[in-house]
Amino acid sequence: MKCLRWLAVFSLIAPAVWAEDPQDDWQLSEVCPPGFVLEGESCKFSSLYSEYPSLQDAGMGGLKVGLPEPRDGFKPAEIDLGRLLFFDPVLSGDGSVSCASCHQPDKGFTDGRALSRGIHGQIAERSAPSLWNVGFLDTLFWDGRAKSLEEQMLGPLYAEHEMGNTPEQLMASLSANPTYVKLFKQAFPERGLTLDTVYIALAAFESSLISLNSRYDLYAHGFHDVLNQNEIEGMNIFRSFVARCGECHTPPLFTNRELAVLGTPEPTGRPLDIGAEGPTGDRSLRGGFKVPTLRNIELTAPYMHSGRFKTLRETVEFYTKGRGHAVPEGEHLSIHWHIWEPKLTDAELDRLVDFLLTLTDQSFMPVIPERVPSGLSVVDALNHSEITTTPVAMGDTP
């Protein structure tokens, strides 16, 4: 088992490739995706981090710290079926967008937009968070209103301004497709095609998106030559009790999986987004959002829940400008106690950005299918309509 975990670390040198796309006979994969090993019939997560103590036992911000419990135990066929569904526009009401439209692999499983767009070019109220390592999370959506992937996906699938589908239409579309009926029977022999198995397959695929092989991870595992002096300096600033970045963006996930009120400014002309106050009714969480992972942050611009900042340099600078400096007049937010006035220098902010770039790793990138059982275009869905309309009140993507 340890040998397999060491192989996972060195996948930076020789990235693992998942099974080839099914072509003529649409047979689902019998091989676990990278980062997982087959135990019996199920794929179990495997990583060097599994050898390390939990955060509670190891202390805040240490290098050799374990991970939360992963979401694993899915069968290879379930994961592979979820992969096809994730890229298939058949899941949307008009066949124009897929899950991958807002969570594009080459953009860190975001969409590169400040505010995501759904069918008919409708504009969302929030940006699309990354899906890397989402299987470790128990707080989903920017406002934290979902606690599982299955619960989360009900939002985008059935929101009129996102994928615009209904449970009835989704089942009708998939049931009318003989290939999908066959594949669901292969992945779920006893249950076949149901709404629940659709959700399970998508959750299985999303849980397989593992990014833990960055240069930072090699450094954490003892290969210290992979970071240069500027990057190490940035890491030390990140972990310091002055900057306090690591207290919320806690390694190795680089999120503490909690909600925090930061006082982030909204784009010009937009009112305050009340965030987690909405689903919870808790006034102390007004303007509060989940702490996002910093994994692959280099690829996921623009930043914050509304895409307010275009660059990482702008983003890190926000935290040194003073507690609550961007809170709108008349608003009284319960700013998280970690947000204070570290007074970092320009050089220190530059070093922080240098360090954040070491968190880039897409060595376990899943294979994007060239075609999907519906026959709809994978590429068109990835590059769906740029037409925009007036933003509508909504939730958001996960």
Side-chain angles (χ1 to χ4, degrees):
M1 183 65 71
K2 289 185 177 180
C3 292
L4 288 171
R5 290 172 180 154
W6 280 106
L7 286 173
V9 172
F10 286 106
S11 67
L12 279 173
I13 301 171
V17 177
W18 201 3
E20 292 296 322
D21 291 328
Q23 291 296 323
D24 295 333
D25 57 359
W26 293 103
Q27 290 297 312
L28 296 173
S29 176
E30 298 179 357
V31 179
C32 293
F36 295 81
V37 294
L38 189 64
E39 293 186 6
E41 296 182 347
S42 301
C43 297
K44 295 293 184 180
F45 173 69
S46 179
S47 168
L48 273 180
Y49 283 111
S50 301
E51 303 289 341
Y52 302 153
S54 69
L55 179 62
Q56 181 178 357
D57 298 328
M60 184 69 68
L63 295 179
K64 290 182 168 58
V65 177
L67 290 157
E69 284 296 316
R71 184 79 188 274
D72 63 2
F74 297 105
K75 296 178 181 179
E78 294 170 352
I79 299 171
D80 202 22
L81 176 56
R83 179 179 70 104
L84 295 176
L85 291 168
F86 186 86
F87 288 96
D88 198 332
V90 75
L91 267 60
S92 64
D94 64 356
S96 67
V97 300
S98 65
C99 301
S101 297
C102 288
H103 298 285
Q104 300 180 23
D106 64 338
K107 295 182 176 66
F109 281 95
T110 67
D111 58 9
R113 296 169 175 150
L115 303 175
S116 294
R117 296 174 186 170
I119 63 172
H120 312 309
Q122 295 183 89
I123 306 176
E125 285 290 296
R126 295 171 185 154
S127 64
S130 173
L131 295 184
W132 282 117
N133 299 327
V134 73
F136 294 99
L137 304 184
D138 55 10
T139 300
L140 299 162
F141 288 110
W142 276 108
D143 57 18
R145 67 184 184 273
K147 302 303 179 185
S148 71
L149 287 169
E150 288 88 341
E151 180 184 0
Q152 173 277 319
M153 66 184 63
L154 301 182
L157 279 172
Y158 304 132
E160 292 182 2
H161 41 272
E162 294 189 58
M163 298 182 78
N165 214 333
T166 66
E168 295 77 17
Q169 181 178 330
L170 177 59
M171 279 300 294
S173 299
L174 294 176
S175 298
N177 186 301
T179 299
Y180 268 127
V181 172
K182 170 190 172 184
L183 294 180
F184 271 90
K185 190 65 176 176
Q186 181 183 343
F188 302 96
E190 296 182 359
R191 303 173 66 181
L193 172 57
T194 69
L195 282 175
D196 283 344
T197 55
V198 172
Y199 305 150
I200 291 170
L202 285 168
F205 171 70
E206 292 177 7
S207 297
S208 76
L209 301 175
I210 301 297
S211 179
L212 295 169
N213 290 330
S214 68
R215 288 193 296 122
Y216 162 80
D217 297 296
L218 291 176
Y219 184 95
H221 295 319
F223 301 94
H224 292 170
D225 291 341
V226 298
L227 299 189
N228 62 39
Q229 191 58 43
N230 283 348
E231 293 163 344
I232 293 173
E233 182 180 339
M235 179 180 65
N236 290 334
I237 295 168
F238 183 92
R239 298 173 60 198
S240 73
F241 285 106
V242 176
R244 311 188 81 152
C245 309
E247 295 181 19
C248 287
H249 297 285
T250 311
L253 287 184
F254 286 88
T255 172
N256 61 5
R257 305 186 298 163
E258 297 178 2
L259 299 168
V261 181
L262 307 182
T264 307
E266 299 291 340
T268 303
R270 291 176 62 83
L272 177 77
D273 186 332
I274 65 172
E277 182 190 13
T280 65
D282 186 342
R283 183 61 177 77
S284 71
L285 289 176
R286 185 175 181 82
F289 299 95
K290 73 173 183 179
V291 176
T293 180
L294 300 182
R295 292 280 178 175
N296 291 303
I297 194 71
E298 177 184 8
L299 307 174
T300 62
Y303 304 106
M304 302 299 193
H305 67 276
S306 63
R308 175 63 176 79
F309 300 127
K310 294 182 179 179
T311 67
L312 280 175
R313 185 58 166 74
E314 288 180 84
T315 307
V316 297
E317 187 178 22
F318 162 78
Y319 293 97
T320 201
K321 284 187 173 180
R323 180 180 176 85
H325 72 275
V327 175
E329 186 176 351
E331 286 284 352
H332 302 282
L333 304 183
S334 303
I335 304 294
H336 195 284
W337 66 279
H338 286 167
I339 305 299
W340 65 306
E341 298 182 17
K343 294 183 171 59
L344 301 179
T345 66
D346 285 344
E348 288 171 325
L349 294 175
D350 289 339
R351 297 295 77 77
L352 274 176
V353 173
D354 290 338
F355 170 65
L356 292 176
L357 300 184
T358 71
L359 302 180
T360 304
D361 160 49
Q362 298 198 108
S363 57
F364 286 176
M365 179 72 79
V367 175
I368 300 174
E370 294 182 1
R371 64 188 186 100
V372 286
S374 70
L376 296 170
S377 172
V378 173
V379 174
D380 286 350
L382 287 170
N383 302 299
H384 73 287
S385 176
E386 295 293 330
I387 298 172
T388 63
T389 61
T390 303
V392 291
M394 60 165 289
D396 54 86
T397 46

